[in-house]
Amino acid sequence: MRSIWKGSISFGLVSIPVKVFGATENHSVSFRQVHAADGGRIRYRKVCELDEEEVPTEEITKAFEAADGTTVPLSDEDLSALPLPTARTIEILAFVPADTVDPLQLDRSYYLGADGGGAVKPYVLLREALNRSEKVAIAKLALRGRETLAMLRVVDDALALHTMLWPDEIRPATGVAPDTEVGIRDAELDLADTLMETLGDLDPEELHDEYREAVEALVAAKLEGVEPEEARERVEAGGKVIDLMAALENSVRAAREGRGEQAAAAGGEGGGGGGTGGGAAAGEEGEGAEGDVRELRSGKGAGKGAGKTAAGKTAARKSTAKRGEAEEEGAGKGGKKSGGGRKSTAAKKSGSAAKDSRGRRSTSGAAKKTASAKKRDRATG
């Protein structure tokens, strides 16, 4: 890279010679103006408004326009004679936490490299001091014909410089925010959190300028004399939001589909989300709803089948119990009384009715034998 500025960092009494390199480059698409009739280039000429003649670059100088419209010419010699202590110096003013710098003030970005072997040690010293303190340096310097604020920080193993706007160059946000009271529900915040988490982390390597690529493809097609590919249908950003909750839910669903996570989300949250569904956000509940419905439906079917089986078993037990009671009623004394009591018991304890009926049949047989023995005893007596 070619350096665009040379100077030194003033770090107390320590001076660090540095070179300034541009840290960014502009890849945006640029167009030329041409004459539609013949394709000729349209160029702007610098013309003096007094004599209406074109003026060459070497005859053009600077001037300051006063409030009343009067222009005051200023030559390069006039400007270079101004007492500007930061003309070739990056003067460090203070060290502050990075989060105290308003991003609105940041302007352009540059890298600082050590200029010469003697600058290496103080350069590394400043870099390590910034790393250990977890702070950034606020400085002043003169660059591109003006004095400006700057912030120094560490990027990888290099020092980076960001020019800053002066505080009075930042416009206040007065009148920008809505002036009406708006109530936000917790469910809406939960859905917004879910959407933020669903969008996930950002991979800078995946970011690219789609518009520039489309323009380059269009130009290449025209140079080859072929028809350009049809642009894919643009998704409308949407207009007025009617239902915020529905919009958030749809956004979560679209974000998951866009990341190919729909199947995983449905399987993880819908099918097995019984333990976590209560504490999940509303958006996650919406994703798991289909799985929950399927579980409920399968549960209903299983319940119906189980109910029919249980009813059949209960009926069989009751029938067996009634047969046992009939035998006991025909056995003799106390049959009616014991049969009524057994009928009530069989209705209450259907689970053990069959066992009880088998026991009652054996008891009935024993009762018959006892009755026969008593008759024989009476006849003998």
Side-chain angles (χ1 to χ4, degrees), residues 84 86 89-94 96 100-102 104-110 137-144 146-152 160-170:
L84 190 60
T86 58
T89 305
I90 302 173
E91 181 185 354
I92 294 179
L93 306 176
V96 299
T100 62
V101 178
D102 190 344
L104 285 174
Q105 285 189 263
L106 300 181
D107 191 10
R108 297 190 178 188
S109 302
Y110 303 90
I138 302 300
K140 284 199 308 183
L141 78 155
L143 185 64
R144 299 187 184 279
R146 57 168 294 191
E147 187 173 58
T148 181
L149 285 175
M151 180 184 77
L152 276 69
L161 181 143
H162 303 273
T163 56
M164 301 171 61
L165 303 174
W166 296 96
D168 60 359
E169 293 178 314
I170 304 297

Side-chain angles (χ1 to χ4, degrees), residues 61 115 121 144 149 173 178-179 181 185 192 207 210 216 218-219 232 238 272 291 304 316 323 331 340 349 360 367:
T61 186
D115 188 11
K121 186 170 183 178
R144 299 187 184 279
L149 285 175
D179 56 358
E181 292 291 333
R185 294 179 294 164
L207 301 178
E210 296 183 10
E216 291 173 351
L218 175 62
V219 171
R232 63 175 182 268
K304 287 179 180 177
R323 287 198 300 269
K349 300 180 180 179
R360 292 183 195 120

Side-chain angles (χ1 to χ4, degrees), residues 31-45:
F31 299 98
R32 304 290 186 187
Q33 289 186 332
V34 298
H35 187 193
D38 53 18
R41 286 279 303 275
I42 303 297
R43 298 183 182 274
Y44 292 94
R45 294 175 178 172

